[in-house]
Structures are given as C-alpha cells and as structure tokens.
Amino acid sequence: MRKMTLRTRILMNLANLACIAFLILPLVPVILGAFQSERGLQADVHALLPVEYTLDNFRLILSGGSDKGTLFQDISYLPNSVTWFPNAFLNSVIVGALVTVGVLVLASLTAFTVTRLNVRWTGWLMQINMISRMVPLIVLMVPLFVVLRGFGLLNSLSGVIITEIGLLLPYAIIILVPYFQQLPKELEESARLDGCTRFTAFIRILLPLCKPALAASGVIMFIISWHELLIPLIIVSKPEVMTVPVVLAGLVSDHFVFFTVMMAICLVGLLPTLLLVLLLQKYLVKGLTAGAVKG
Amino acid sequence: MAHVQIQNLKKSYGAVQVIHDIDVGIDEGEFVALVGPSGCGKSTLLRMIAGLEDVTGGTIRLNDRVINDVAPKDRDIAMVFQSYALYPHMTVEENMGFALKLARVPQAEIKARVAEAAATLNLTEYLDRHPRQLSGGQRQRVAMGRSIVRSPSVFLFDEPLSNLDAKLRVRMRTEIKALHQRLGATSVYVTHDQIEAMTMADKIVVMRAGRIEQVGAPLELYDDPANVFVATFIGSPAINLLSGRYVERDGAGAVDLGHGVVMEAPQVGAEPGQPCLFGIRPEHLEIAESADAADFTVEVIEPTGSETIITGRIAGQEVQMSQRERTDLKPGDVLRLRPAPGQVRLFDAETEARLK
C-alpha cells in the first residue's frame, strides 16, 4: 500500500476532528448549562462560559425536589416531573435492562432457529421481520393502546417492557443472524457428539461465541430503549411508572421551560449508557465488525 | 470397541438420492477408509453413522443395536472434523475434557484422563492455551485428543488432514496409524486422498456417486480392481489404460493396440475383436529387447528422487512408466517396453468392468 503523504495525513486528521466535534459539540452547552443557574444562562446567551458554577440542578433532581439548594429555595412552583425523577431513573434502568435481556434471549433463539434448524417457514419469518420494521411506530400506537388496555397492561412497566421488546426484537435479529451464520456448523455438531442436545450446544458453545454480537446489539437495544419516549408516553400516565424521557418531556410546557434542570437530567441520563459502553467496549468493536474480514 | 453393520442404507435430499443401498461391515478394531471423489457421498455416509444426518432407508447397527434414530450424543461415537471444530472459547484442557464434563465424570478423573491423552499426543505443555494459539498440527492433535479421552466405541475421521501442509500431513498420517495400532479402536476414515487410504486402512471402501464400487484390503484393490474407476482411483501415478481389441494368439490372450502393436494379456472370457482397455501400472512396464516388447517414444522425464516417471507413447497412446534406477534418457529416445508377467488387467471398453 502507498504511504500517506504528510498533507494527506493532516487532512485526514482534520476530517477526523471535524467528525468528532460534530458529535461532541452539542454536549458542551448541555454540560455548561447543567452547572449554572437559569438566571445565569438567560443573562447572556452568547457567553461561552458561565459566570458562576453550581451543583444545585443536580441536588434538585437527585433528591426529587426536596433539596432545593440556594438556587431553588425561593421558587414557588416545581413541575411534578422533578419530584418523580429518581423514581423515573430507576424505572428507566429496569425497563432498559429487562428489554435488553428479553430482546437478546428471544433474538438469539430466533437467530439460532433461522440459521441452524433448516425449517422452511423461517425464511418467511425473516421476511415478515424485515417488513414489520417498515411500519412507522406511530401507526401502531392506537391498536397497541387498545391491545394493552385489553390485557390490563396500561400504566405498568410490564406494558412498556413488552411493547419495547416487540419494537426492538427485529433489529436484534437482523444483527444476530449474520453472526450466527458465520459460526462453523461443525462446532455445534461436535458438541452434539460430545454429549450436548441441540439446545445445550446452543447454550454452551454457540452463545459464548456470540458474546461480541450480543454485546453490540445489547448496547444498541439499551440505548434505544433508554431514549424511547413515544411508547411510555402513550402507555403510561401515572407519574410512578414514568421513565426519564417522559420526565424530560414534562419539563417543557406552554408556561415554563426549565433549561438547566433539563440539562442536568440529560447528563445524569447519559451515565448508564456511557457506563455500559465502557464496560462492553472490548466486545463492541469486534461485534460491529464481525464477518467483515476472514478470521 | 465395537463393530458396525450398514445394510441397504439410503439417503435422499428431497427427490435427489445421494446414497444408494450401501452395504458394508466394519469389524471390531478395524480401520476402514471411505474414499472417492468429491460428492461421492463418503462424508454423508460418515455423518449418517455419527447421527448428524437422518437415514432415509436401511439400517445402521452398532454392536447389533439399530442406531438409526439414536441421538448423536447417545451413540458413543467420536468424530474428528476436517476443520477440527475445536471450541474457540475453551482451553485445550477444557476442549479435551468437555465430553467427560457433560457425562458428569468426576473432576479428578477428567484431569487424569486429559493428562494421559495429552501425554500420548505431546500436548501436555499446551493444555492452558486456546486453539487460536496453536499451529495446524497441534490443533489436529487436540481434535484427536478430544476423541481419545472419551474412549468411544467408534472413531470417525472426516478428512482430518486436508487442512495441513504436505509434510505435516505425512507425519500426522503416521501418528494416526500408530495411535490406532496402540488403541486398536474401530475407526472409519473419510478421505479423497488414495495414498492416505492405502497407507492407513485395513480395508478400503471405494465410492462413486453414492454407490460402493469395491471393498477390500488396500493391496487387493491395487492388484485386483473390479473396474476402471477403482483401477484409476487407486495408485499414483495412475494405471495406464490403452484402447485396443482383444485377440487370441497361439491359444493365449493378447490385445491389439493398433499400429501393428500386439501385447500379451491374460486369457479372458471375451470375444475376439471385442473392444477393451489394456491396463498396466507404470511400475509394471519393463525395458526389454524381446520380440513381444513394443516401441515407447519418450516425451517427458520427471525425476522424483526415489523414482523416475517417464511419459511417452506406445502405439500413439500416452503411457507412463516408472523406474527406480536413475536414467539419462532424453525426450525423443525410443525404448522397447513389455508388461511384467501376470500384471496386465483387461477391462470391457463399454461397461468398464474387469474382464476375467
């Protein structure tokens, strides 16, 4: 391969920096906003750095409104969403975790069935799987609402979890099927001769080998579930079962917008996904590039 | 140890039949090689014995028990795959002990049996490594070790040496044969390499298009092939097959190869003038000045070190001869050749069956 010239290298690095800046820059005002007062933010919207720094926004949301600090002690009205934030955060963690686990269990079983069991109808299953993702979610909302009401799942985390699993399952299947396809079938056959049934061969041999793909799709599923607003917004109306995006949306009304509180919620809301990505980093790149080159 | 009996075995994929009424018996402790070109059904037959392919018709018996519908895990059969099929996420020790672990053998016994097999295969120092940290030959040995620790009734090998380089393949061939001699286990070995089959097997099953062409000991197939397919498949360089017509001369058999060349042949039950194929192996052609020898025009000389393969023409047809002695022949030289006594095999030109 021809060596890159210095000029090309500089241009490549600049392009790289531009891409990173494009992704990171929107975060900067959020970080700056989260650590200042509403008054400070509104005083000079063109200022690059805040005049004063405060942790009161975080104190307020993490205490559910009970610790108002100096910034909010005189405020006469706090939206309900702030009060319910710690609970919503916990709900989001529960929903995100269970949706991710549920989707991965069902998607890996489906991928195994589609790629290994040579069942004729699985081809159709994959087609339906693809088509189902072309239907906009909003179109499904009214029928979904009616079905969930029928099963008594409105205003419950189980309703949100089941719906999100249904929404995300096709994506996970699309990610996992090619990964299962590239695993040599001899591995499973060898396990079957060693004393495994098809299912134990799946659990003990194939699944551990799919760790990178499971990690990659797991992170993607968690992020999508964590950000999902429409489903909980329609299914849930009680504050005790709200998730973080719903709380966030509740901070915007015709009469007020709590910018700095919203930014603090956004930053705290970033933590679980960030932590997950850092934990699974070593599998992520492997999983996302699997099958790209012959191993 | 066990014996395997296969009767009227059939296998179809939809309307396509790939195995046709196979009958073969494998005795206790016997090493049987299934050979044939790609697509002849040898691997399918092996996989049916393993239980990895369903049986369409007929029976497979292991120690007189029909195992057609027995799950692979309950057959007590071990298999070495072409790709080795080592579990990448397990160490060599875990790979070798996996079957015993599933069988709930006590941990101490697993350790002892794995250590014993590893010592046999010179793998002791690699027990903590993962398959990706091993060379091709070492992986191959781990695959065999995984089978050995189980002490199964039958060992199956599916072209286990195909992925190795030529030198290593020869070494592993010897190792597998030595291992079989030591363990005395019933083994079925699939290969498309007739040299592997000849050197390792007690019995060879030659297959073509899902059918058995001939079953016999290696030298039996070499010396007494049932048809042109077996005669050409076994032996390297391949047997020479010259087209001619069967004639009788002085009460003995002969073949008229055209261009005025008539060569002695065994007397067979063929009509005089019947088209036939005159088969003679390269090492059975002798240089002679006698009247029954034919002119052989040298075209290509290939010295291999241990022998020299000389390609040329007799009666306008391509012929190869091999000789152990060093030679200073050049292309264009003309020799007089004749078949060694009793080494000519005649085949029907139309059916390709052996004429006796």
Side-chain angles (χ1 to χ4, degrees):
Chain A
M1 211 170 75
R2 223 179 58 182
K3 228 179 151 184
M4 268 196 288
T5 61
L6 183 68
R7 193 165 153 255
T8 321
R9 246 195 339 244
I10 291 170
L11 282 174
M12 294 282 277
N13 279 317
L14 284 175
N16 196 4
L17 280 174
C19 287
I20 293 171
F22 183 74
L23 294 172
I24 297 288
L25 274 182
L27 262 182
V28 176
V30 175
I31 295 168
L32 293 176
F35 288 96
Q36 61 182 305
S37 64
E38 192 74 36
R39 193 174 297 141
L41 184 76
Q42 304 288 353
D44 182 5
V45 287
H46 300 296
L48 281 177
L49 291 173
V51 185
E52 51 173 358
Y53 291 91
T54 174
L55 289 173
D56 282 357
N57 292 316
F58 293 98
R59 278 198 196 100
L60 182 80
I61 58 166
L62 293 175
S63 66
S66 57
D67 184 357
K68 292 183 176 170
T70 49
L71 216 58
F72 298 97
Q73 61 185 347
D74 302 327
I75 204 158
S76 56
Y77 170 76
L78 265 180
N80 214 11
S81 307
V82 173
T83 323
W84 286 101
F85 175 75
N87 192 60
F89 189 85
L90 187 68
N91 286 344
S92 272
V93 171
I94 293 170
V95 170
L98 292 182
V99 165
T100 305
V101 171
V103 165
L104 290 184
V105 168
L106 294 174
S108 53
L109 282 168
T110 312
F112 175 68
T113 310
V114 168
T115 56
R116 301 286 159 160
L117 297 189
N118 282 334
V119 184
R120 202 180 301 163
W121 54 263
T122 53
W124 284 96
L125 183 85
M126 283 303 287
Q127 305 267 350
I128 293 167
N129 183 44
M130 299 288 283
I131 293 165
S132 69
R133 280 307 91 231
M134 292 171 194
V135 181
L137 184 60
I138 195 78
V139 175
L140 300 174
M141 277 303 141
V142 174
L144 204 60
F145 185 86
V146 174
V147 170
L148 289 172
R149 192 179 55 190
F151 283 100
L153 290 170
L154 289 181
N155 276 319
S156 71
L157 286 184
S158 3
V160 178
I161 291 165
I162 292 168
T163 313
E164 287 191 10
I165 287 177
L167 167 77
L168 295 177
L169 189 56
Y171 295 117
I173 293 171
I174 291 167
I175 295 173
L176 288 181
V177 162
Y179 205 87
F180 270 81
Q181 255 162 354
Q182 52 111 40
L183 291 176
K185 71 175 192 323
E186 288 91 347
L187 288 177
E188 189 202 336
E189 290 176 346
S190 181
R192 286 170 66 200
L193 283 161
D194 272 347
C196 287
T197 59
R198 293 202 87 141
F199 186 69
T200 47
F202 164 72
I203 297 287
R204 304 187 76 144
I205 304 296
L206 298 183
L207 222 45
L209 293 175
C210 286
K211 264 189 218 161
L214 292 173
S217 47
V219 168
I220 295 169
M221 297 310 126
F222 187 84
I223 292 173
I224 301 177
S225 166
W226 188 264
H227 290 166
E228 181 57 41
L229 171 67
L230 196 58
I231 293 172
L233 199 65
I234 287 169
I235 295 175
V236 167
S237 54
K238 285 185 186 167
E240 57 265 37
V241 276
M242 278 180 184
T243 57
V244 173
V246 181
V247 164
L248 207 54
L251 289 173
V252 182
S253 85
D254 293 342
H255 310 291
F256 60 85
V257 180
F258 286 81
F259 281 115
T260 55
V261 178
M262 278 174 79
M263 287 169 183
I265 288 180
C266 284
L267 276 191
V268 175
L270 262 180
L271 291 178
T273 46
L274 200 67
L275 204 68
L276 199 66
V277 170
L278 287 175
L279 273 174
L280 300 174
Q281 202 174 19
K282 81 169 181 179
Y283 296 115
L284 264 179
V285 178
K286 265 197 226 168
L288 292 172
T289 58
V293 286
K294 197 176 165 219
Chain B
M1 276 201 290
H3 61 272
V4 181
Q5 195 65 41
I6 295 167
Q7 284 175 316
N8 297 322
L9 197 69
K10 297 179 189 74
K11 173 71 187 172
S12 302
Y13 293 108
V16 183
Q17 191 166 353
V18 292
I19 296 284
H20 304 265
D21 299 302
I22 296 274
D23 283 295
V24 68
I26 300 158
D27 294 333
E28 267 189 28
E30 202 171 30
F31 195 115
V32 173
L34 304 178
V35 292
S38 296
C40 71
K42 54 189 189 297
S43 284
T44 308
L45 178 56
L46 193 82
R47 291 168 58 80
M48 287 164 87
I49 299 172
L52 298 172
E53 296 282 350
D54 294 334
V55 173
T56 309
T59 54
I60 303 173
R61 284 190 169 83
L62 183 68
N63 288 336
D64 302 323
R65 167 191 172 217
V66 176
I67 55 165
N68 284 25
D69 299 319
V70 176
K73 71 183 180 71
D74 300 323
R75 292 192 182 200
D76 193 21
I77 285 175
M79 184 159 163
V80 178
F81 291 83
Q82 182 177 354
S83 60
Y84 319 134
L86 301 179
Y87 310 126
H89 58 301
M90 295 185 194
T91 62
V92 169
E93 189 171 11
E94 287 165 345
N95 261 286
M96 288 169 74
F98 184 62
L100 300 178
K101 194 174 165 189
L102 289 174
R104 297 181 194 282
V105 173
Q107 196 58 40
E109 194 185 331
I110 294 177
K111 217 164 172 59
R113 278 165 73 173
V114 168
E116 192 188 333
T120 309
L121 294 160
N122 296 325
L123 286 169
T124 309
E125 57 185 301
Y126 306 111
L127 284 175
D128 293 332
R129 292 199 190 172
H130 280 87
R132 63 177 175 276
Q133 297 165 307
L134 302 176
S135 68
Q138 288 162 348
R139 286 181 202 184
Q140 173 58 54
R141 282 208 290 271
V142 176
M144 292 204 301
R146 199 166 60 173
S147 300
I148 291 170
V149 290
R150 286 177 52 190
S151 308
S153 301
V154 181
F155 282 95
L156 305 178
F157 297 87
D158 191 3
E159 307 209 25
L161 307 183
S162 302
N163 288 353
L164 303 178
D165 62 59
K167 203 172 167 185
L168 195 56
R169 200 180 309 158
V170 174
R171 211 179 82 201
M172 291 306 297
R173 201 165 75 195
T174 314
E175 282 190 24
I176 294 177
K177 183 153 187 177
L179 201 68
H180 176 254
Q181 284 169 351
R182 196 155 62 236
L183 301 173
T186 310
S187 307
V188 186
Y189 190 101
V190 162
T191 178
H192 61 267
D193 182 345
Q194 52 94 18
I195 303 270
E196 260 175 40
M198 291 286 284
T199 50
M200 298 168 85
D202 300 317
K203 185 158 83 184
I204 296 178
V205 178
V206 183
M207 293 181 68
R208 177 168 62 161
R211 291 187 169 84
I212 291 180
E213 293 288 323
Q214 194 175 357
V215 180
L219 292 179
E220 201 179 307
L221 298 189
Y222 189 79
D223 293 335
D224 202 11
N227 53 38
V228 168
F229 179 79
V230 177
T232 49
F233 197 82
I234 304 288
S236 176
I239 192 170
N240 295 297
L241 290 168
L242 306 176
S243 301
R245 286 181 185 278
Y246 182 71
V247 292
E248 284 190 354
R249 198 173 59 175
D250 307 329
V255 173
D256 182 352
L257 299 173
H259 296 79
V261 179
V262 179
M263 289 194 120
E264 277 184 24
Q267 197 166 20
V268 294
E271 294 294 319
Q274 183 181 327
C276 66
L277 293 169
F278 177 91
I280 181 80
R281 295 213 176 264
E283 69 274 24
H284 293 147
L285 282 167
E286 304 173 336
I287 298 171
E289 283 303 326
S290 55
D292 57 348
D295 283 348
F296 171 78
T297 313
V298 175
E299 289 181 346
V300 180
I301 299 141
E302 297 167 279
T304 64
S306 61
E307 62 175 2
T308 306
I309 298 157
I310 305 161
T311 307
R313 286 188 183 274
I314 292 178
Q317 302 186 55
E318 191 177 283
V319 170
Q320 281 193 317
M321 72 166 292
S322 67
Q323 60 173 57
R324 296 234 164 255
E325 299 79 30
R326 302 277 162 108
T327 178
D328 53 3
L329 284 169
K330 296 181 295 299
D333 288 353
V334 177
L335 301 174
R336 297 276 291 166
L337 296 184
R338 71 167 185 199
Q343 297 300 342
V344 174
R345 307 284 179 261
L346 292 188
F347 302 93
D348 189 303
E350 199 180 329
T351 63
E352 298 195 338
R354 175 86 176 277
L355 292 169
K356 286 190 176 176

